[in-house]
Amino acid sequence: MPTNAAAATKVQRYLLAAGFLALFFANQSVLVLAVPFYQMTLALDPVWLSLAIAVPMLLGSSISGYVGRASDRCQSRFGRRRPFLLAGVLGLSLSFVLMWQVPADWPPLWQLGYFAGLSLLFFLALPLLAVPLSSLVFEQTPEPRQRTAVFGLASAVQKLGSLGYQWLVPLSQLALFSSF
């Protein structure tokens, strides 16, 4: 029979894998939803829309090293990783929700600017979640075999997510939502 510590470790691993599922959807959702919504529904220029996605994505990627160092050096009462994870989740959630609330009657240039600004906030918040979450795998266990098992579980959960992310656009069109 497993001990309480072993059971707690197993639960932590599944929670960590769930975090990787959230990270997978954070990485994919803007790319999957932006084209149907901003280009096909609001008729924004695809070249400008691509730039409004690519530039913030590059800027967000460029801060990953800084986030990693800051996370390693953090000495809060909540731990090294939790403040960054919380800031990342809050930043991602808020910017993602607002990203799709653009007024339809705005001129296209304003809509594009609105999306670009919120896309920048989103992709700057993404490393705040991604880097500490990945670091937690290495802190989960010092033994390489167990670390590989944790990464394997996270990878399997992400693959399951890849089966579901294709349904984001059809799900967004349900009657549950007032409009696309």
Side-chain angles (χ1 to χ4, degrees):
M1 181 167 201
T3 65
N4 285 343
T9 301
K10 197 170 205 168
V11 168
Q12 287 175 343
R13 289 181 184 168
Y14 283 108
L15 291 174
L16 190 60
F20 275 96
L21 180 64
L23 182 60
F24 172 81
F25 276 103
N27 277 316
Q28 300 297 324
S29 59
V30 172
L31 304 173
V32 169
L33 294 173
V35 170
F37 181 70
Y38 278 95
Q39 182 184 339
M40 297 165 73
T41 303
L42 297 178
L44 293 184
D45 186 321
V47 173
W48 288 109
L49 181 62
S50 297
L51 284 172
I53 294 172
V55 171
M57 192 181 294
L58 288 171
L59 290 173
S61 298
S62 70
I63 70 165
S64 293
Y66 299 110
V67 171
R69 281 191 289 286
S71 175
D72 284 342
R73 295 177 183 154
C74 181
Q75 295 180 354
S76 84
R77 66 181 184 150
F78 303 109
R80 293 187 306 171
R81 311 292 181 208
R82 283 186 185 148
F84 290 90
L85 292 169
L86 181 62
V89 167
L90 291 176
L92 287 168
S93 301
L94 184 63
S95 59
F96 186 79
V97 168
L98 291 175
M99 193 179 294
W100 314 110
Q101 305 300 318
V102 62
D105 58 345
W106 278 8
L109 190 59
W110 288 17
Q111 291 175 337
L112 184 67
Y114 180 87
F115 174 74
L118 287 166
S119 181
L120 179 62
L121 290 175
F122 183 86
F123 286 111
L124 287 175
L126 191 55
L128 295 175
L129 174 66
V131 173
L133 185 66
S134 298
S135 299
L136 285 175
V137 173
F138 293 101
E139 294 172 0
Q140 186 76 26
T141 179
E143 187 181 319
R145 283 189 189 153
Q146 290 178 349
R147 196 177 307 138
T148 303
V150 173
F151 269 121
L153 178 61
S155 178
V157 168
Q158 285 180 320
K159 292 298 178 195
L160 288 175
S162 69
L163 295 173
Y165 89 96
Q166 324 170 40
W167 295 97
L168 289 176
V169 172
L171 288 173
S172 71
Q173 295 174 336
L174 292 176
L176 169 71
F177 305 105
S178 61
S179 68
F180 180 65

